Amino acid sequence: MSEDLTPEEQDDIIQTLPLDRWHRDQGARMVPFAGYSMPIQYEGILAEHLWTRESAGLFDVSHMGQLLVSGDGVDTALEALMPGDFVNLGVDRMRYSLLLDDQGGILDDLMVTRRAGDFYLVVNGATKADDIAHLHEHLPEELTLNHLDEHALLALQGPKAVDALSRICPGVEMLTFMTAGAFELAGAPVWISRSGYTGEDGFEISLPAEAAEAAATLLLAQPEVKPIGLGARDSLRLEAGLPLYGHDLDTDTDPATAGLGFAVPKRRRAEGGFPGATRIVRDLREGPARKRIGLILAGRLPAREGAPIFDGDTPVGAVSSGGFSPSLQVPIAMGYVQAASAELNRPLQIEVRGKRLDAVVAPMPFVPHRYVRQGS
Amino acid sequence: MTTYFTEDHEWITVNGGTATVGITDYAQAQLGDIVFVELPAAGANVAKGGEAAVVESVKAASDVFAPVTGTVSEVNAALEEDPALVNSAPEGDGWFFKLALADPAELEGLMDAAAYKAFCEGL
């Protein structure tokens, strides 16, 4: 956002989402986020967080970018920009992937789904304009890129999400983690995947903007469901050990440094052919110089993004995101440190307002994932 | 006893030469669930408008400023065990610290309850 604008002018360019009025009617506190007015919380972050872990939470993530890419050779074209295996990805199956710059730095993280006639991509709201420009520049001209900017995106997350959604949208219970399909919800055609950003079982629902209010109202009428704001979305994903672009991931990180080796499958490691492949494959094999780690802090004082991390007296890195874990009732954080300081259970210290807080390197996720996988 | 309010949403209740300081109900509602309060040390000198405490909510850290200049005489130890007192009783059991006033005349620039209410309604 330009600094030449007054605060009033900046307010003017904050866009509203299809469910803006609906959120206000539910008592949401709205804040500017990624250029949109978004609900940060309804009844309170702690209550919303814990409700999602025990029942089902409804999130509006319509600020995210929904893109369709189609044309001959679209799978190999996408493989030139990302380290995923899209050639062998089955129809209605999805993968977490990373859009990489020329050096292998992370431009964005995203979900990629192969559908019968196209690939469906969901990218971050704050980066979507840059992503679209990058794809336009680097994809072959004969491919077609569509931005579904008239679509909303809802997420229903939590152990009871399947009970609530299957009652009003029969068949979704047949989906397993990271699969998707076309359904009808509240009279509208929708695209539903079994996926999310909380570590819980759940679904993401793509639908035409004009159908969003009826669908959200119907979902909220289910006894398991409450509306959940961005505040709890952040604390839930942090407990789940899931990185947030712009904080835990940026162009100074790459798949090896970020601990996202699962997004670089065997065939791509062997064949390469994605940006930065030589260095990334070597770092995945030999270990990167810096690593993303989880940290559990002693006491109750949280460490926030940017807090320096020490190993003894030596500065070894910084916190990339941190907060108080509502489920564990302790402060937790993610950060990047020199590889020698990254081993599990290693005692480190984090500096917050001049004080050194004791912390220990902890496995992620901090709270176990509860995905419903195929065959389970 | 008289209670005054600041534009930064602190309250200060004055009883003779000492005063009790906390944050207002409006402030706690804006901050959301509070998980930690970092209080000044007893005996510390705080300056009007200077940082005196830090509240950590689930989402962010926020400074609490001293409404007036003085010396901290006591801090609310209950907040260490139960920081959520600031949410449930911001203008009661969720008080932050007590001050020996250095200059009672500083109080004159603060708002009374009616003026603070009007101030919040204008936000």
Side-chain angles (χ1 to χ4, degrees):
Chain A
M1 205 174 290
S2 169
E3 292 178 3
D4 298 335
L5 299 178
T6 66
E8 290 74 23
E9 286 169 330
Q10 291 191 356
D11 284 346
D12 288 344
I13 59 171
I14 298 289
Q15 296 177 270
T16 55
L17 292 169
L19 290 172
D20 191 77
R21 195 198 56 190
W22 187 87
H23 291 305
R24 295 173 197 272
D25 289 346
Q26 310 304 324
R29 181 185 303 158
M30 306 297 283
V31 297
F33 180 83
Y36 293 93
S37 179
M38 298 278 291
I40 181 84
Q41 65 171 63
Y42 302 84
E43 64 175 309
I45 294 174
L46 281 177
E48 292 167 30
H49 179 114
L50 297 172
W51 181 264
T52 305
R53 287 264 181 260
E54 71 189 33
S55 188
L58 177 62
F59 303 74
D60 179 10
V61 288
S62 301
H63 64 301
M64 299 186 82
Q66 301 182 65
L67 313 177
L68 294 179
V69 191
S70 59
D72 284 343
V74 58
D75 47 8
T76 48
L78 292 173
E79 286 194 357
L81 306 181
M82 298 183 249
D85 183 349
F86 305 127
V87 168
N88 295 301
L89 184 60
V91 172
D92 294 345
R93 293 181 175 274
M94 60 199 285
R95 290 286 182 271
Y96 174 81
S97 197
L98 301 159
L99 202 58
L100 302 176
D101 68 16
D102 294 344
Q103 282 76 47
I106 300 173
L107 291 167
D108 201 2
D109 63 343
L110 71 163
M111 287 289 186
V112 179
T113 309
R114 182 198 280 274
R115 310 200 300 184
D118 53 28
F119 275 80
Y120 168 62
L121 278 50
V122 179
V123 304
N124 281 297
T127 47
K128 66 184 174 189
D130 289 344
D131 292 351
I132 290 168
H134 181 83
L135 292 169
H136 270 304
E137 188 183 340
H138 290 92
L139 287 174
E141 273 179 28
E142 54 272 26
L143 296 184
T144 304
L145 173 63
N146 281 312
H147 179 200
L148 300 177
D149 54 359
E150 297 294 317
H151 269 58
L153 187 63
L154 303 175
L156 188 71
Q157 299 281 297
K160 296 181 183 171
V162 64
D163 300 336
L165 188 58
S166 63
R167 190 181 301 125
I168 54 178
C169 188
V172 294
E173 70 280 2
M174 302 300 289
L175 295 173
T176 53
F177 183 58
M178 298 296 268
T179 67
F183 294 87
E184 192 178 298
L185 176 62
V190 299
W191 179 260
I192 297 180
S193 61
R194 198 155 193 172
S195 57
Y197 194 45
T198 59
E200 297 295 329
D201 182 27
F203 301 88
E204 290 171 300
I205 305 163
S206 171
L207 72 178
E210 64 271 16
E213 184 162 338
T217 301
L218 181 59
L219 284 162
L220 199 57
Q222 309 308 308
E224 298 90 351
V225 181
K226 286 186 180 181
I228 309 296
L230 284 183
R233 181 171 161 83
D234 189 50
S235 55
L236 287 158
R237 70 90 196 167
L238 180 60
E239 285 184 350
L242 301 172
L244 173 61
Y245 194 81
H247 301 267
D248 309 300
L249 304 176
D250 56 29
T251 51
D252 290 331
T253 62
D254 61 65
T257 307
L260 300 173
F262 72 90
V264 192
K266 208 166 166 182
R267 179 177 71 82
R268 302 303 314 275
R269 294 189 196 199
E271 296 176 7
F274 56 90
T278 306
R279 186 171 56 88
I280 289 168
V281 170
R282 185 200 62 208
D283 282 356
L284 285 169
R285 191 177 57 237
E286 297 173 8
R290 259 185 341 137
K291 286 184 174 174
R292 183 169 65 96
I293 58 165
L295 292 156
I296 295 178
L297 284 75
R300 287 182 64 89
L301 175 57
R304 308 289 180 179
E305 181 175 1
I309 301 172
F310 291 84
D311 189 342
D313 291 329
T314 311
V316 291
V319 169
S320 51
S321 53
F324 190 81
S325 162
S327 301
L328 304 175
Q329 290 287 306
V330 295
I332 57 174
M334 272 181 214
Y336 282 88
V337 296
Q338 299 299 320
S341 298
E343 68 192 8
L344 282 183
N345 301 315
R346 189 176 184 91
L348 300 175
Q349 291 188 307
I350 306 177
E351 191 172 293
V352 177
R353 296 190 289 277
K355 282 198 294 263
R356 298 277 174 94
L357 308 177
D358 287 325
V360 62
V361 180
M364 292 192 285
F366 299 100
V367 172
H369 293 165
R370 295 196 284 180
Y371 302 137
V372 175
R373 294 180 191 275
Q374 193 172 17
S376 65
Chain B
M1 285 202 316
T2 312
T3 301
Y4 303 88
F5 298 86
T6 72
E7 292 189 356
D8 297 316
H9 306 287
E10 292 94 15
W11 56 264
I12 176 167
T13 296
V14 182
N15 195 357
T18 67
T20 307
V21 175
I23 66 170
T24 65
D25 188 54
Y26 179 91
Q28 72 78 21
Q30 290 295 313
L31 292 169
D33 301 298
I34 289 164
V35 297
F36 186 85
V37 182
E38 188 171 303
L39 294 166
N45 294 313
V46 295
K48 179 181 169 70
E51 288 172 22
V54 180
V55 278
E56 296 270 3
S57 69
V58 176
K59 61 176 187 280
S62 308
D63 289 323
V64 175
F65 303 103
V68 295
T69 304
T71 304
V72 176
S73 57
E74 186 183 347
V75 299
N76 186 359
L79 295 184
E80 194 175 329
E81 280 297 301
D82 189 7
L85 279 174
V86 180
N87 292 119
S88 59
E91 297 174 31
D93 289 344
W95 61 277
F96 279 36
F97 55 85
K98 296 188 180 186
L99 273 182
L101 301 183
D103 178 9
E106 286 180 344
L107 295 165
E108 287 165 19
L110 303 178
M111 288 178 277
D112 64 13
Y116 178 67
K117 185 163 178 280
F119 173 74
C120 288
E121 282 165 359
L123 293 178

